[in-house]
Amino acid sequence: MTDTAATRRTPRPRGEGQWALGYHEPLNAAEQIKKEAEPLDVRERIERIFAPGGFRTIGKQDLRSRMRWWGLYTQRRQNVPGERTGSAESEELEDEFFMMRIRIDGGRMSAQQLRAIAWASERYGRDLADITDRQNVQLHWIRIEDVPAIFERLESTGLTTTEACGDTPRVILGCPLAGVTTDEVLDATPEIRAIHERFIGTTEFSNLPRKYKTSISGCRVHCTNHELNDIAFVGVEHPELGPGYDLWVGGGLSTNPMFAVRLGAFVAPGNVADVWSGVTSLFREYGYRRSRNRARLKFLVKDWGAAKVREVLETEFLRARLPDGPAPAPSALSLRDHVGVHPQKDGRVCVGFAPRAGRIAGHQLRIVADLAESCGDGRVAATAQQKLVILDVDAARADELIGRLEALDLRARPDPFRKGMMACTGIEFCKLAIGETKGRAAWLTEELAARLPDFDEEIRIHVNGCPNSCTRFQVADIGLMSALQVRPDGTKSDAFLVHLGGTMGDGSAFGRKAKGVKIYAEHAADYIEELLRRYRSRRGPGDTFSTFVNGLDAEGLSRFALPSRGGPNRE
């Protein structure tokens, strides 16, 4: 074979749709939709055409794409089974109601803002709300006719749904105790506010290759899970430059989980917004736009490596070098939810509490707002673990507040299962889900607490309705991912695949799939009870569930994870 022939047969590398390399023509339908009309402009059509005319007046491109830029997704039609999720047409799956996502940058709300959310939930959302693992609040059952009234009420208090979804900078995570806790490197609130005011809702970053998740926190316990964000600023003490931030990029879960990597760069307070803009611009220009499955920043970071990302960031976008900086000290996952009573630096306390797997009623939110005013200064915060915190409480009134929350089934002193339980929206409302999650998680919480009343450590159980990991099942002690299992009579039933030993911080690791295990959903409590009893009988001194599991080799994990004979079903 001649060299020329060999050259002819070697395929040319396929372009990934990167703007910086000249690929400005859309390479898939989603990119074409964004090019044809600025997604943020759909707000005008919502108010002028869709709300007055009703659901049937909404064009399909606006309905299934651009309205996400204002926090609106159609919710799943009721009673469409999970086996239809991957094969049904959009018209079969979508209902004429919306999920509305309210972005709460930094997680902080005033009582007035919380009442506005409660009002929307009670009046238009069937008294239902979900606290997400990204500090948002999601409403359900929203009619398009009611959206302008909800926008008006939310925005009158300073809240917004702008870019809560879509190929945009999503909500910015921040420590719910920022500025009040006795133990933080620095208060990141000014940095979060600066980015929101300069960039959110502008066209500068309203067309990114995919969604873009940010964490900015000076919290020493790393409660915003910087390891899993596209970009994260982590509070550190520089030995010469003082308090600032360590820069991380490229984290994300879904079907290709990756931990973020350090760039080794120190970012001074006051420079965060510019550096954030630089990294976001790098993603906009160099991010992959051909395949939606590879359009997240994590894939670019994986291909380039940290050194090249930093070099391009500094030379092309910042036009300046960032100083090298230290890595943050690791923290224990058990401290990241801020549940319980914690001291503030002003002598008062904050009280964190756990709803049932993030699900809460609108009228409960209204009462929480009242309690925040009567027992404190009217400040409430959402955590990245689907929990809530009331700030500025007189220490002498903490027990009174805890009792009043307990009467609402909002527990500030929860058992380990309530404390560590999270669940995504699931098949009740989500068009991507395979199985039910919220109700199953609430049932699991109560069952396990009753069966294992003396369980003596926190255990993180995350229930996810599909592989997209909206509740981070890959970094849970026990991650349950919905699947379908065929019964002996040939019917399909809700089931779970099991992932064990996920953790973050020192020794970060994704949970390992328990090979050969698929449990019917109704057997989940039996299986987890057996698993935890087996763990307690075998653990060594100082073991946590995750360290124990991650100390097992593949064969040992398989033996540990398989149900006993006669127990819950195997795959």
Side-chain angles (χ1 to χ4, degrees):
M1 187 191 310
T2 66
D3 290 344
T4 303
T7 302
R8 282 200 304 266
R9 294 183 182 182
T10 302
R12 295 177 59 189
R14 187 177 72 163
E16 293 284 0
Q18 296 159 286
W19 285 359
L21 301 184
Y23 289 90
H24 293 290
E25 286 304 309
L27 297 178
N28 60 56
E31 290 295 312
Q32 181 65 37
I33 289 170
K34 290 185 290 182
K35 183 174 183 178
E36 289 175 357
E38 165 57 49
L40 287 171
D41 291 347
V42 77
R43 169 71 179 264
E44 186 269 341
R45 293 191 291 281
I46 291 171
E47 296 179 330
R48 181 175 58 87
I49 301 172
F50 306 152
F55 186 86
R56 300 307 173 100
T57 65
I58 307 173
K60 298 306 181 186
Q61 290 186 350
D62 284 341
L63 180 69
R64 295 173 189 153
S65 179
R66 300 185 191 104
M67 288 176 68
R68 298 177 184 184
W69 272 247
W70 289 94
L72 293 165
Y73 284 94
T74 50
Q75 69 183 38
R76 188 187 188 98
R77 187 182 300 276
Q78 299 296 289
N79 302 317
V80 178
E83 62 191 274
R84 296 289 296 146
T85 292
S87 59
E89 297 291 335
S90 297
E91 287 81 2
E92 180 183 346
L93 279 175
E94 65 192 7
D95 208 340
E96 295 189 5
F97 296 94
F98 291 87
M99 178 204 78
M100 175 182 282
R101 181 177 296 157
I102 303 164
R103 72 178 293 154
I104 306 167
D105 289 295
R108 194 69 61 81
M109 296 168 280
S110 67
Q112 180 190 28
Q113 290 173 325
L114 191 57
R115 285 197 189 95
I117 297 172
W119 170 85
S121 171
E122 290 186 89
R123 182 161 183 172
Y124 300 116
R126 302 190 186 183
D127 198 28
L128 194 65
D130 287 332
I131 312 299
T132 78
D133 69 343
R134 292 198 63 80
Q135 299 178 299
N136 298 301
V137 177
Q138 291 179 174
L139 306 180
H140 303 285
W141 298 110
I142 302 301
R143 299 164 62 246
I144 190 62
E145 292 87 345
D146 301 321
V147 167
I150 299 174
F151 281 166
E152 182 179 10
R153 179 65 181 269
L154 294 176
E155 291 168 0
S156 73
T157 69
L159 290 172
T160 185
T161 67
T162 309
E163 295 181 332
C165 311
D167 297 349
T168 67
R170 303 288 183 89
V171 65
I172 303 168
L173 297 185
C175 176
L177 310 188
V180 304
T181 181
T182 58
D183 185 25
E184 65 181 349
V185 178
L186 72 173
D187 178 4
T189 304
E191 320 297 350
I192 294 172
R193 184 180 299 121
I195 292 172
H196 183 97
E197 292 176 353
R198 285 177 58 181
F199 301 112
I200 302 306
T202 73
T203 57
E204 186 169 357
F205 298 124
S206 65
N207 183 359
L208 298 177
R210 281 294 298 273
K211 58 188 173 184
Y212 183 68
K213 298 180 178 183
T214 302
S215 160
I216 308 174
S217 176
C219 174
R220 292 187 191 274
V221 302
H222 304 161
C223 66
T224 58
N225 306 310
H226 61 275
E227 303 97 328
L228 304 179
N229 285 268
D230 293 276
I231 179 170
F233 297 84
V234 188
V236 292
E237 294 273 2
H238 194 285
E240 297 161 1
L241 302 175
Y245 299 92
D246 190 39
L247 180 59
W248 295 56
V249 297
L253 292 176
S254 192
T255 54
N256 288 282
M258 301 180 198
F259 288 118
V261 298
R262 294 185 61 235
L263 296 190
F266 179 80
V267 183
N271 197 29
V272 170
D274 289 337
V275 174
W276 181 91
S277 175
V279 176
T280 311
S281 298
L282 183 153
F283 178 45
R284 182 190 62 206
E285 299 300 317
Y286 284 101
Y288 302 150
R289 292 177 183 263
R290 177 181 290 277
S291 169
R292 297 284 288 175
N293 291 334
R294 277 177 50 81
R296 291 290 300 276
L297 179 60
K298 63 186 178 182
F299 294 100
L300 181 67
V301 172
K302 180 182 179 183
D303 290 347
W304 278 12
K308 180 175 179 178
V309 172
R310 181 172 176 179
E311 177 68 20
V312 173
L313 170 66
E314 292 174 335
T315 57
E316 292 190 29
F317 296 97
L318 299 181
R319 310 289 176 142
R321 295 287 180 184
L322 294 169
D324 293 339
S331 70
L333 271 176
S334 60
L335 301 175
R336 291 189 177 190
D337 54 33
H338 296 304
V339 169
V341 180
H342 301 277
Q344 296 187 180
K345 59 188 178 184
D346 62 3
R348 294 184 291 182
V349 298
C350 49
V351 178
F353 55 93
R356 288 177 179 262
R359 176 61 56 84
I360 194 167
H363 73 271
Q364 288 177 307
L365 291 176
R366 175 168 43 82
I367 298 171
V368 168
D370 294 341
L371 291 174
E373 284 189 333
S374 64
C375 297
D377 289 346
R379 294 200 297 171
V380 182
T383 81
Q385 276 62 242
Q386 299 185 338
K387 310 299 189 289
L388 291 172
V389 183
I390 294 177
L391 306 174
D392 311 320
V393 178
D394 188 317
R397 300 193 63 188
D399 286 340
E400 173 196 349
L401 175 58
I402 290 169
R404 294 172 74 176
L405 289 168
E406 181 71 27
L408 297 170
D409 192 29
L410 304 173
R411 299 178 185 172
R413 293 170 179 153
D415 60 73
F417 304 106
R418 169 75 78 98
K419 189 171 186 279
M421 183 68 69
M422 295 204 304
C424 72
T425 299
I427 201 169
E428 183 180 11
F429 299 118
C430 179
K431 300 190 296 292
L432 300 178
I434 300 167
E436 204 278 334
T437 54
K438 287 290 188 185
R440 189 69 64 183
W443 166 76
L444 267 175
T445 298
E446 298 306 314
E447 281 290 313
L448 293 171
R451 297 182 189 196
L452 298 166
D454 60 342
F455 194 78
D456 57 357
E457 68 177 79
E458 180 176 325
I459 188 78
R460 295 171 297 109
I461 302 172
H462 298 181
V463 185
N464 222 86
C466 77
N468 291 313
S469 198
C470 290
T471 41
R472 309 193 298 264
F473 71 88
Q474 294 107 322
V475 292
D477 292 307
I478 301 174
L480 302 178
M481 191 196 85
S482 286
L484 295 172
Q485 177 85 317
V486 179
R487 292 189 180 276
D489 64 3
T491 60
K492 293 182 178 180
S493 182
D494 278 6
F496 290 115
L497 299 176
V498 178
H499 292 71
L500 301 176
T503 187
M504 292 184 291
D506 195 15
S508 292
F510 294 121
R512 298 152 72 190
K513 183 181 177 183
K515 294 183 179 179
V517 177
K518 184 190 285 185
I519 56 174
Y520 290 126
E522 68 268 24
H523 291 166
D526 296 334
Y527 176 73
I528 294 174
E529 178 189 3
E530 179 181 346
L531 206 64
L532 293 180
R533 290 188 185 279
R534 190 177 297 169
Y535 155 67
R536 288 205 298 181
S537 70
R538 300 181 186 181
R539 64 183 171 181
D543 270 344
T544 65
F545 185 87
S546 289
T547 58
F548 172 80
V549 167
N550 288 321
L552 300 173
D553 61 18
E555 183 180 352
L557 177 67
S558 180
R559 289 198 305 268
F560 172 74
L562 277 175
S564 60
R565 292 187 181 276
N569 53 296
R570 306 180 187 199
E571 208 171 1

